[in-house]
Amino acid sequence: MTAPDVSLPDVSAPDVSAPANILIVDDESQNRRLLEALLGHEGYVTSTADSGEHALVAIADDPPDLILLDVMMPGLDGRQVARAVKSDPATSKIPIIMVTAQTDREARLAALDAGAEDFLSKPVDRAELWLRVRNLLRLKRLSDLLEKHQVNLEAQAQARTAELQARTVDLKRFRMAMDATHDSIVIVNRTTMRFVALNAPTSQMLGYSRDELLELGPTELSTSSRDQLAALYDAIIAGRGRTASIETAQRKDGSTFPVEVHRQAQRAGADWIIVTVMHDITGRLRVQSRLEDMAHFDTLTGLANRTLFCETLNRTLAYASASGETVAVLHVDLDYFKNVNDSHSHAVGDELLIQVSDRLVECVDDRDTVGRLGGDEFALILTMPQGRGDPSVVARQIQTALARPFRLDGHNVTVTASIGITLHPEDATDTETLLRYADMAMYQAKQSGRDGFQFFTNAMNTEVWRRLELETALRHALKNGEFVLHYQPKVELEGGHVVGLEALVRWERPGFGIVPPSEFIYSLEESGLIVDVGRWVIVTACEQIRDWRRRGIDPVPVSVNVSQRQLVRGDLENDVLLALDIYEIPARLLELELTENLLMTSADHTIATLRSLRSAGVQISIDDFGTGHSSLAYLRRFPVDTLKIDRRFIRDVTRSSDAAATTAAIIRMGRSLDLEVIAVGVETQPQLAYLQSHQCDQVQGYLFRPPLAVPALDPLLLGRSSLMAATDQPAAPPGDTALE
Ligand code: C2E
Ligand code: MG
């Protein structure tokens, strides 16, 4: 008999198999395209079917790993398709997610009743879609593995039994074979209730010598009494007893352990003997309990995972409905986590998530729950008895807790989070809706500049659909040439001359007019489109410089804004050098603006890229300076020429002593490091006066000019007269003069 293979497959190992194939079934082409785009974005392979009938043909031809199934379709509807898939043994294991605009309970139950595993409401929330798809695929993989393992175990048990039956009771030969296994095999005489034979592993397993065991009987080694065992044996002899069971065995030292036991009765002359095979299942149970833990706890951080978090929220809501308590759900999403992951190793990203989870736990009471929903998304359940205050206090505590730098791989890394808050029963009363609303509110917090929190409002519901439409429209905008660059002058304070221009992208969206970047840059970054749009900005700015030069206008340096993704995912160095080369422009005429946040989360290769560009002559400036955790030491690390003081400080410079002190300190710091300092957002004379009195080098703001379309720049670039005289008039709003 060979030792049974009880090692479970390692389900925690990364999935190195081919990308999952997902079938999208929807009669509306727009919905199919949207789901295809969203899933394609995450690396899934998709195929589509436009009706239930076509779906069944496609599934039979090439069974997918998962099906996204629209409920309402002419002809065979989603429920009928689900039923057909689930009733065919060849396809019954394929997980199905029903997608429907119906949100009432009956519709959901009907879908689940048809066999679907999960449910998604339209409009589909992108994060929720990815999460559910990922989870279901993971579960499917897990259950495939467990099933395979189960089949192995059963085959082994059958083989063991068959082998035992085939043998005659030639004990000597039998014992040799028995010793070759890891299982304990004992033969008990039913009449005497003593062991008549046992193998060596039995001694090892139980801690007795062979002779000691032969002196004893099964009763002494079992937690069952002699009568119970005798009754069990008799039942087996009579052909009706349970031959397989999980029992507890006892060692000589009194300790116990779980065993899987198989018993067979055999006639031996006038007597009956009972052949018992005992298999130690301590290891298997440990793995099983680990799997159960994995089903409920996040393996990285040890926090509740999405499943357990939702179960806990369900229970909390049921209790709160009865007690009248308010429950707040907070969705916490780290800002720029992708940057950390992209710039450093994944191990560093994981370590950051672990440290963040520790800090989140510090912010809540024992009665509250912290969970990890996936990736860099965390969620909190706060129960608030009357008078416990409001959840924004906890949101602020989280911001404070995260503000301390994280020590990762020898570097200090700072992260912030965007937090969405929703309340039960005010906003919604069920788990799913609350989580969706908290996610929407979090998204809003991101759009409002990150590092903040937002309560859910009903207006956010329509926002989700708008967001998806926006992304689709942006994909077309680049192809259709709907982006344009406006340029805002930078003015040197001493003489009032234009010494530079900042290129700022605008979207001439058909039917919407000119859309400012605040409404679409985030979406470009999220979707990764920023890499292509960023390249277009560089090329267009260089082409513009070339045009000015051709027209005999000696141009001033033009700066372009650069996003993190361009550095990490794109090939910024190549894009820049190629554009300079094609348009034959000296590198000193191009400047790159990178935000302080970007630089702080940058890895060494980013710094190397910037060094190389700078040594080629390209200027580098730090945008939004003063908002991060800048220090002299950190500034020295970067190849930088200019600091751009964040607009928010300039806005408050004449009314907040903090803003004034920060502005003055940045100007001093810049001077001591021999860097140019430029103040952005100068709108009033008093602001200008403050900057002049502190000897700031340059200014940029509506007081001089807003960003301008190309034709409006000619007089400025040609005349080069001082703009200082014009600043007595109030600052013009940007829209009016943009097309001047
Ligand atoms: P930024 O780089 O800080 O650009 C300066 C922003 O301040 C511009 O907003 C400009 O119009 C605005 N501004 C200038 N003077 C004043 C003033 O006196 N008062 C006020 N209230 N605002 C002033 P804009 O053009 O809306 O751009 C916003 C942000 O969008 C930029 O901030 C930049 O981060 C981003 N952005 C713009 N174009 C691009 C681009 O091509 N690529 C990337 N990655 N980001 C871009
Ligand atoms: Mg800028």
Side-chain angles (χ1 to χ4, degrees), residues 36 38 83 259 289 404 643 652 667:
E36 271 192 290
L38 291 177
R83 224 167 262 128
V259 283
S289 96
R404 278 179 278 134
L643 303 180
D652 296 340
I667 296 172

Side-chain angles (χ1 to χ4, degrees), residues 502-504 559-561 593 623-624 644 680 700:
E502 176 172 8
L504 293 155
S559 62
V560 295
N561 293 280
E593 295 194 7
D623 217 351
D624 304 344
K644 297 191 78 174
V680 184
Q700 180 182 340

Side-chain angles (χ1 to χ4, degrees), residues 538-653:
I538 292 166
V539 169
T540 309
C542 287
E543 192 181 5
Q544 186 57 56
I545 299 172
R546 194 259 332 252
D547 286 354
W548 279 320
R549 277 159 58 96
R550 277 194 180 161
R551 287 173 51 213
I553 301 173
D554 185 23
V556 288
V558 174
S559 62
V560 295
N561 293 280
V562 174
S563 284
Q564 169 97 5
R565 283 210 158 198
Q566 286 171 264
L567 272 156
V568 178
R569 291 283 156 86
D571 185 352
L572 183 71
E573 187 172 355
N574 190 43
D575 292 347
V576 168
L577 297 179
L578 202 66
L580 292 174
D581 195 42
I582 290 173
Y583 297 107
E584 296 174 347
I585 298 168
R588 64 174 168 80
L589 290 182
L590 190 67
E591 182 172 334
L592 303 179
E593 295 194 7
L594 299 98
T595 63
E596 195 178 12
N597 252 322
L598 185 158
L599 286 180
M600 279 193 304
T601 54
S602 285
D604 293 344
H605 73 263
T606 299
I607 298 165
T609 302
L610 296 180
R611 282 224 168 87
S612 155
L613 282 169
R614 190 156 175 259
S615 63
V618 176
Q619 307 272 303
I620 311 281
S621 64
I622 308 187
D623 217 351
D624 304 344
F625 194 77
T627 50
H629 297 262
S630 347
S631 68
L632 278 175
Y634 133 92
L635 272 183
R636 280 204 191 92
R637 259 185 88 206
F638 296 107
V640 171
D641 304 280
T642 308
L643 303 180
K644 297 191 78 174
I645 308 176
D646 191 71
R647 213 159 65 211
R648 281 166 282 185
F649 296 116
I650 308 305
R651 184 192 59 203
D652 296 340
V653 79

